Amino acid sequence: MQDVILGTSVELPQAVMQSVSLNLTVNGQQREFVVEPWTTLLDLLRHEMDLTGTKKGCDHGQCGACTVLIDGRRMNSCLALAVMQDGKTVTTVEGLAAPDGTLSPIQAAFIEHDAFQCGYCTPGQLCSATALLQEGHAHTPEEIRELMSGNLCRCGAYPNIVDAITQVLAQAATPEVA
Amino acid sequence: MNRFSYARPDTLTAAIQALAHPGARAIAGGTNLIDLMKYSVEVPSQLVDITHLPFAKIELLPDGGLRVGALVKNTDAAYDARIGESYPLLADAILSGASPQLRNAATTGGNLLQRTRCYYFYDTATPCNKRQPGSGCSAIGGTNRVHAILGTSADCIATHPSDMCVALAALEAVVQVSGPEGDRSILFSDFHRLPGAEPDKDTSLQPGEIITSVDLPAQHFSSNYTYLKLRDRASYAFALVSIAVALEMEGATIKAARIALGGVAHKPWRVPAAEEALAGQTPGSEVFGKAADLMLAGAQGQPGNRFKIALARKAIVRALKQAANGTPQHATDKQIQ
């Protein structure tokens, strides 16, 4: 890319190493890839694995649509280089339901509470909420809102998203009656 | 993103050697560097992945302080039991910044080294002395709502965007670094610099040096503290003004005070005279107002950010009250108490 206005040429450096191999376990499946070092995890998932549930929203870590779980932790896959994830386990929205298709509790609660409109942010919201439930730091609607702030919803489904998460939190807190 | 070679050293010596490569940059969490590379603001020829180095631990120091490894994730620092108990000011500051996703990726060392969020620094179609020395400053005379009011220069009015660093400044942390010339310790107040005539230099880190840890002194300030952050939306936004206060109380009297401001300067802003003015005083609006005036001495606004001077004054007074009363602001609480 040329920085035209300032008249400075930004020369693209020659890469010494063009591609790197890496192992990833994605939604329970172990895979080996050979990637260029500048490939993001988001692009790898979408282009190499056809896992297009994970969305490219802003591509700058501001919207959360690309949220996936890396070793169980929610991360923005647009800001993660694939080569740096070697040996790690990745869960995308496609991996949240049980193998027989039974929705996870948070997926079912999103449907029950109509926690989306256009649906573009939903995969990121679901992955983020899945991690939030496991983290155990959110106990109130205020804490849910604060700890879901990395996922934007331009349709404004926030109240229903908070309701869905609140319901699953309450279910988890209620001991099952045998 | 530009093309680059990738190295993944597993020893500090190998990392320092790899960083000697012209155009090499260290990468850990990558939350700022990868973003800047997507905008062609950063164009490294080699990325040195330092995540395999052994700096991901939080350890007690012999003097009672705590060593936070450079690779400790922001999330792990914020929820660490020892930090929560002894340095709640630091935990609160970390949790008021970014989002859970970013805190899961971002590291302690990377937080110190993040670049400004000045709009013009990111926009390669505009002049910016920090990005392109000598090209000019577009923020002066431009849109400057988020910019600095203290310690600015004719060449740059950018701010340092970190919340964590504001707490670290108040706690007087020490930055441990290693480089081609060996190891050295940098006082937190000396780590970040003012823009002056060289706004392209954010810190006093020398070429080839990497941060190995941030050490917290034994003095905790775990009873009378607060981190108050004011911003354009309720969460997940950089501070317009933020403030870390740590007080050491002796009965109803302030024995010692630490105050650091964020969002107002090229580095976390401290004024020894303001802190000294609080020593030996009984908490009260007048005393706090005087300290606020000393903190903001010489403040100069731009048309877009003059409001920050009044905002900062009120924030300082409010935060001092919170700290003196032992009622810190929590990141979740959107009402200022």
Side-chain angles (χ1 to χ4, degrees), chain A residues 3 5 8 10 13 17 38 59-62 67 73-74 76 78-79 83-84 128 137 146-147 149 151, chain B residues 3-4 6 8 28 34-35 38-39 43 45 49 76 79 99-102 104 124-125 132 235-236 334:
Chain A
D3 192 336
I5 288 196
T8 54
V10 180
M17 182 166 43
W38 43 89
D59 207 25
H60 289 283
Q62 296 177 5
T67 303
R73 292 182 152 211
R74 43 178 163 162
N76 298 308
C78 74
L79 293 182
V83 288
M84 293 177 70
S128 197
H137 301 301
E146 175 65 21
L147 293 174
S149 69
N151 293 83
Chain B
R3 304 306 181 235
F4 54 85
Y6 173 77
R8 190 193 291 153
I34 294 173
D35 190 29
K38 289 183 179 188
Y39 285 112
V43 194
S45 58
D49 177 353
D76 294 327
Y79 292 117
S99 67
Q101 289 96 317
L102 289 167
N104 277 341
T124 56
Q132 193 70 48
S235 183
Y236 197 17
K334 302 306 172 186

Side-chain angles (χ1 to χ4, degrees), chain A residues 3-114:
Chain A
D3 192 336
V4 182
I5 288 196
L6 300 177
T8 54
S9 97
V10 180
E11 263 185 52
L12 297 180
Q14 283 291 312
V16 174
M17 182 166 43
Q18 290 291 340
S19 42
V20 185
S21 67
L22 77 148
N23 280 289
L24 278 181
T25 302
V26 181
N27 298 334
Q29 219 188 337
Q30 202 183 332
R31 289 275 304 265
E32 195 174 332
F33 301 91
V34 177
V35 299
E36 293 163 324
W38 43 89
T39 308
T40 62
L41 176 61
L42 173 60
D43 287 342
L44 180 84
L45 292 169
R46 290 180 58 84
H47 299 160
E48 302 296 322
M49 296 199 72
D50 236 3
L51 291 172
T52 54
T54 306
K55 297 292 184 271
K56 185 181 276 195
C58 66
D59 207 25
H60 289 283
Q62 296 177 5
C63 76
C66 68
T67 303
V68 299
L69 308 181
I70 303 177
D71 286 346
R73 292 182 152 211
R74 43 178 163 162
M75 306 259 195
N76 298 308
S77 60
C78 74
L79 293 182
L81 292 179
V83 288
M84 293 177 70
Q85 316 309 320
D86 189 26
K88 294 185 181 171
T89 297
V90 177
T91 304
T92 70
V93 69
E94 291 91 342
L96 295 184
D100 69 357
T102 306
L103 297 180
S104 73
I106 192 66
Q107 288 177 305
F110 262 56
I111 291 175
E112 188 183 335
H113 288 272
D114 198 17

Side-chain angles (χ1 to χ4, degrees), chain B residues 238-295:
Chain B
F238 291 100
L240 290 168
V241 170
S242 71
I243 170 164
V245 173
L247 300 178
E248 188 185 346
M249 302 295 292
E250 207 165 51
T253 305
I254 298 167
K255 193 177 168 198
R258 305 264 185 85
I259 309 172
L261 294 178
V264 296
H266 201 256
K267 60 186 284 189
W269 192 256
R270 283 186 68 194
V271 177
E275 298 174 1
E276 284 157 19
L278 287 167
Q281 301 290 326
T282 306
S285 297
E286 203 175 316
V287 171
F288 292 160
K290 193 183 160 208
D293 290 336
L294 287 166
M295 283 298 297

